[in-house]
């Protein structure tokens, strides 16, 4: 095992330069490649990631969080070069700096809202001195102070996403990564969740990256980034020759 030093980088919150990642093969003759020339965000900036399904939006989020490692390029997040970190260091870095919010909530069904938020504060990088007190604070903030003991099945879909947002912000993550956070919600509830997420990011000066297919919501973000073209389907040379013959 080689010990690798974390390399601090004095730049913005997120900086990806000439990043490439091999995603696999579609068949014997074609490969799928993620390629990004440049993507930079300062602390507290908010951006909507847009583009058609399968264009690389979620892959971009996963590279920022360290869930997917790039093959080449520079991936600097919260002042650290992720390309130099071991898997265990990546887990710690993600736990400290990234709050994740998903389309399908990813809540633990047997546990209450309070338990879903506090469990994550008891372990690893977010080991909190008083997890229950902190969980109550953030659940109050997202408007669920009266549903602390409700399990996911007893909550509406909008309330479940509020629990997920509370969980994401509980550990004071400086970056919020939201992958289609309104995708499973009706338009009215989606608007409410979007405004809540945006309000929290603004008030706390957190960096927010939000994947969305909703052009109306994207237009309400200070910045948008079109991910179209990040995924490249390449034919092998021999296949090109056959296709051209």
């Amino acid at each position: 095992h080689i010990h690798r030093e974390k390399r601090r980088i004095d730049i913005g919150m997120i900086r990806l330069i000439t990043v490439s990642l091999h995603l696999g093969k579609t068949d014997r003759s074609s490969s799928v490649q993620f390629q990004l020339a440049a993507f930079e965000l300062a602390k507290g900036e908010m951006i909507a990631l847009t583009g058609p399904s399968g264009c690389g939006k979620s892959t971009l989020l996963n590279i920022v969080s360290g869930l997917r490692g790039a093959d080449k390029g520079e991936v600097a997040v919260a002042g650290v070069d992720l390309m130099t970190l071991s898997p265990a260091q990546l887990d710690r870095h993600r736990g400290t700096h990234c709050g994740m919010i998903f389309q399908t909530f990813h809540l633990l069904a047997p546990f209450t809202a309070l338990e879903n938020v506090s469990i994550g504060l008891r372990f690893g990088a977010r080991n909190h001195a008083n997890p229950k007190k902190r969980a109550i604070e953030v659940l109050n903030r997202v408007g669920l102070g009266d549903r602390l003991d409700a399990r996911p099945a007893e909550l509406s879909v909008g309330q479940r996403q509020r629990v997920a947002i509370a969980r994401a912000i509980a550990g004071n993550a400086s970056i919020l990564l939201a992958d289609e956070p309104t995708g499973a919600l009706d338009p009215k509830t989606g608007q409410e969740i979007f405004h809540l997420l945006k309000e929290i990011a603004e008030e706390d000066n957190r960096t927010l990256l939000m994947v969305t297919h909703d052009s109306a919501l994207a237009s309400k973000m200070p910045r948008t980034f079109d991910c179209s073209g990040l995924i490249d389907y390449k034919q092998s040379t021999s296949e090109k020759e056959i296709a051209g013959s």
Side-chain angles (χ1 to χ4, degrees):
H1 177 71
I2 301 167
H3 178 70
R4 288 182 275 193
E5 285 294 314
K6 285 190 198 177
R7 187 157 67 86
R8 301 268 334 158
I9 303 168
D10 187 22
I11 50 162
M13 183 56 74
I14 297 167
R15 175 182 160 94
L16 279 63
I17 303 293
T18 57
V19 170
S20 66
L21 170 63
H22 180 69
L23 294 171
K25 290 184 179 294
T26 53
D27 53 41
R28 281 184 303 173
S29 62
S30 300
S31 67
V32 187
Q33 194 85 8
F34 174 92
Q35 292 183 308
L36 173 65
F39 180 85
E40 295 191 59
L41 276 184
K43 179 168 173 55
E45 266 200 283
M46 297 186 287
I47 193 164
L49 304 179
T50 63
S53 295
C55 73
K57 301 183 297 292
S58 297
T59 302
L60 176 51
L61 281 195
N62 290 339
I63 289 172
V64 169
S65 71
L67 284 169
R68 293 294 298 256
D71 297 326
K72 293 176 186 171
E74 178 188 326
V75 181
V77 178
V80 175
D81 179 1
L82 299 194
M83 301 288 276
T84 67
L85 302 189
S86 67
Q89 288 173 324
L90 281 169
D91 287 344
R92 276 196 297 277
H93 187 270
R94 180 168 54 256
T96 303
H97 296 288
C98 297
M100 317 278 285
I101 301 152
F102 304 94
Q103 179 176 338
T104 49
F105 324 126
H106 290 201
L107 300 179
L108 301 169
F111 297 104
T112 65
L114 182 58
E115 289 164 340
N116 263 283
V117 176
S118 63
I119 282 168
L121 293 170
R122 297 174 189 274
F123 303 103
R126 294 186 186 176
N127 195 355
H128 203 275
N130 194 333
K132 185 177 177 182
K133 182 180 176 213
R134 176 61 179 156
I136 292 169
E137 276 173 18
V138 291
L139 283 164
N140 272 310
R141 186 173 182 190
V142 300
L144 290 179
D146 59 342
R147 304 305 312 271
L148 300 178
D149 296 323
R151 288 177 171 76
E154 300 163 330
L155 297 170
S156 69
V157 286
Q159 289 172 327
R160 287 179 216 170
Q161 194 59 295
R162 287 174 186 267
V163 175
I165 291 170
R167 181 183 58 194
I169 67 172
N172 291 321
S174 54
I175 299 167
L176 297 177
L177 302 172
D179 198 350
E180 288 278 359
T182 65
L185 310 176
D186 64 82
K188 181 177 178 292
T189 307
Q191 287 271 358
E192 290 169 4
I193 291 298
F194 169 74
H195 288 298
L196 175 65
L197 201 49
K198 194 162 172 271
E199 182 182 282
I200 287 170
E202 282 172 347
E203 287 177 1
D204 299 353
N205 198 32
R206 301 180 198 241
T207 305
L208 171 63
L209 286 79
M210 185 183 79
V211 168
T212 184
H213 281 108
D214 187 328
S215 56
L217 292 186
S219 69
K220 292 176 182 171
M221 290 284 272
R223 279 183 67 190
T224 59
F225 183 81
D226 185 0
C227 295
S228 301
L230 294 184
I231 303 282
D232 188 22
Y233 295 86
K234 290 186 172 175
Q235 282 187 312
S236 68
T237 308
S238 57
E239 182 70 12
K240 282 178 188 168
E241 285 168 0
I242 293 164
S245 62

